[in-house]
Amino acid sequence: MLPSLKQGDIVFFKNYEEGKSDLQPGQIVIFNHPLKNKRLIKRINSVNQYNIEVFGDNIEFSEDSNNFGLVNNEKVIGIVTSKLIIPKLKKS
């Protein structure tokens, strides 16, 4: 998700509740990969009643809907609300 999220960033999210949460294009979501046993963080490109289309911000290297298609809303875990950046300590 470079440049929006970098390795080591800590994200805060609100849990997704189907029928209560509002998924919108532009939001960053955490979801279970539709084909593999892993979690991903991607940006929503489009939304319909049952699915979302997601893309990574780093288009050249992203594994996203271009690879695995639409993501069922049931796979969504949460909507990212903010991030915490841990600064690297300078060596003395």
Side-chain angles (χ1 to χ4, degrees), residues 4-22:
S4 299
L5 298 173
K6 298 170 184 62
Q7 187 169 354
D9 286 353
I10 297 171
V11 296
F12 296 92
F13 66 95
K14 61 181 179 181
N15 289 326
Y16 172 73
E17 296 181 54
E18 197 165 355
K20 294 183 179 180
S21 299
D22 192 23

Side-chain angles (χ1 to χ4, degrees), residues 33-44:
H33 192 291
L35 305 173
K36 300 177 184 177
N37 186 22
K38 66 180 184 177
R39 291 183 178 162
L40 297 176
I41 298 179
K42 302 291 176 188
R43 189 177 304 278
I44 296 175

Side-chain angles (χ1 to χ4, degrees), residues 4 6 8-10 83-88:
S4 299
K6 298 170 184 62
D9 286 353
I10 297 171
K83 69 178 178 176
L84 178 65
I85 302 169
I86 307 295
K88 292 182 180 179

Side-chain angles (χ1 to χ4, degrees), residues 28-78:
I28 298 175
V29 291
I30 302 167
F31 61 95
N32 290 312
H33 192 291
L35 305 173
K36 300 177 184 177
N37 186 22
K38 66 180 184 177
R39 291 183 178 162
L40 297 176
I41 298 179
K42 302 291 176 188
R43 189 177 304 278
I44 296 175
N45 184 57
S46 64
V47 178
N48 67 38
Q49 186 175 357
Y50 303 106
N51 304 291
I52 57 174
E53 179 183 43
V54 295
F55 293 120
D57 288 354
N58 190 350
I59 296 169
E60 188 176 340
F61 297 103
S62 182
E63 180 182 5
D64 52 33
S65 287
N66 285 317
N67 306 99
F68 50 72
L70 298 177
V71 177
N72 189 292
N73 292 351
E74 293 175 355
K75 298 278 187 185
V76 177
I77 297 165

